[in-house]
Amino acid sequence: MLSTNQIGELFFEGVANTTVLRRLRILEASQLLRRVVGLDTKECLWIVTASGAQMVSMKIVKTKWSKHMIEHDHKLIGLRLLLERVGVARAWMPEHEIRSHMFKKYGLREIKNKIIPDGFIGIEVNGKMESVAIELELTLKNKKRYRNIINHYQGKENLYAVWYIVPTSSMIKSIKATWNKYASSYSGVKVYFSGLDELIKNPLEANLIGLNSVIKLSELFAPLEALSAQLPAQVVSTLVENNLAEKRQSTSEIHSPI
């Protein structure tokens, strides 16, 4: 699900927004795209229809979005595009793909009460590929819910960290206090917090606030540019493609909350 502006930036660089909209409406009239409304800004969102997916041999996992989740999901997609563009996220598995994978494995009844993050990303830390669970929180949950989330994540041996991205410093303070209260010293899973606006403005310089420390994002999560500066472009391309393929598989099969 992409907004008109996001589609323009991704596929029609330098093309007027009116032209982008005209092309999207042609695809909509051909029933290859469908628009979704509900953003506070009134901007249109677009998704691929079954006919459009069939034309490009694409598998659709999600076709409907809840109205009360439109803003959240739109911001989440923006974060994904941003983190992939700066080279921090090497692979991203969104919540609906994780849920689909779990449904096929366990069935609907078994996954109703499971905790599923907004996404899993593959990142590089100290030269090693790791998995991080993404939680975009626009509103606070109750403390009991956070306690269940903490207990769930801390039992994941292959998970490097949980990364909360929130709109206010007061939310960081509140969620961090709950983690400090219930986090186990025996778990190797880390937790980080970042402000949404700060991350959007300058992602590599955004703070990763841990339970006992603060570090710049680029100091911990190695961006792709740091790798490409040391290796020939062809080697980098091969490494990235391999990492994406391997991480996408491991994300769904090993690091997902199954």
Side-chain angles (χ1 to χ4, degrees):
M1 182 177 66
L2 296 170
S3 69
T4 304
N5 285 331
Q6 287 170 335
I7 291 172
E9 291 172 1
L10 284 169
F11 306 111
F12 300 105
E13 186 177 358
V15 176
N17 213 38
T18 51
T19 303
V20 175
L21 267 173
R22 187 164 63 250
R23 293 175 178 177
L24 290 173
R25 286 167 182 156
I26 291 171
L27 294 172
E28 181 185 31
S30 302
Q31 298 185 346
L32 301 175
L33 292 183
R34 179 169 65 86
R35 73 176 70 194
V36 177
V37 296
L39 287 183
D40 291 341
T41 61
K42 308 301 180 184
E43 184 181 8
C44 287
L45 296 163
W46 305 85
I47 63 173
V48 178
T49 64
S51 297
Q54 184 177 12
M55 177 177 284
V56 294
S57 301
M58 171 185 172
K59 181 181 179 181
I60 293 182
V61 178
K62 185 172 183 176
T63 58
K64 296 180 180 179
W65 272 262
S66 169
K67 287 185 178 180
H68 74 276
M69 290 296 290
I70 288 290
E71 288 287 344
H72 173 276
D73 290 350
H74 175 54
K75 285 181 170 62
L76 187 65
I77 291 165
L79 280 173
R80 173 180 180 172
L81 295 175
L82 177 67
L83 293 175
E84 288 179 339
R85 185 168 68 244
V86 299
V88 170
R90 309 298 173 83
W92 186 300
M93 172 170 273
E95 175 267 342
H96 59 270
E97 287 189 20
I98 301 170
R99 190 177 296 276
S100 175
H101 180 86
M102 293 174 63
F103 172 75
K104 291 176 182 176
K105 190 169 184 178
Y106 294 111
L108 181 60
R109 181 179 296 179
E110 293 295 321
I111 70 170
K112 278 187 176 180
N113 296 318
K114 287 191 178 292
I115 293 168
I116 300 175
D118 288 318
F120 280 109
I121 64 172
I123 49 92
E124 183 184 341
V125 181
N126 298 323
K128 182 181 178 183
M129 294 298 292
E130 302 282 5
S131 282
V132 172
I134 297 290
E135 293 284 1
L136 174 63
E137 300 278 272
L138 300 184
T139 57
L140 277 173
K141 298 181 175 73
N142 62 61
K143 290 187 178 181
K144 181 179 179 181
R145 175 64 173 168
Y146 281 118
R147 185 174 183 177
N148 291 337
I149 290 171
I150 292 167
N151 290 337
H152 170 81
Y153 280 133
Q154 290 194 125
K156 296 298 176 183
E157 295 181 0
N158 295 308
L159 183 65
Y160 177 79
V162 182
W163 185 10
Y164 284 92
I165 300 169
V166 301
T168 66
S169 57
S170 61
M171 282 186 64
I172 292 178
K173 184 178 180 180
S174 179
I175 303 172
K176 182 180 176 182
T178 306
W179 269 81
N180 267 318
K181 184 175 181 179
Y182 296 113
S184 169
S185 59
Y186 296 102
S187 174
V189 178
K190 306 176 187 301
V191 60
Y192 295 105
F193 306 88
S194 293
L196 177 60
D197 290 342
E198 180 187 22
L199 191 61
I200 292 173
K201 184 177 179 180
N202 194 347
L204 296 181
E205 290 299 309
N207 286 324
L208 286 173
I209 303 171
L211 295 181
N212 300 300
S213 62
V214 179
I215 190 173
K216 297 293 184 185
L217 186 148
S218 59
E219 294 175 3
L220 182 63
F221 299 163
L224 191 60
E225 289 79 4
L227 178 66
S228 61
Q230 302 170 25
L231 298 172
Q234 187 175 358
V235 175
V236 173
S237 177
T238 302
L239 284 173
V240 171
E241 288 177 8
N242 290 341
N243 277 337
L244 285 173
E246 292 172 4
K247 202 61 196 176
R248 197 159 189 82
Q249 181 177 359
S250 65
T251 297
S252 62
E253 295 180 359
I254 300 174
H255 301 305
S256 60
I258 297 174

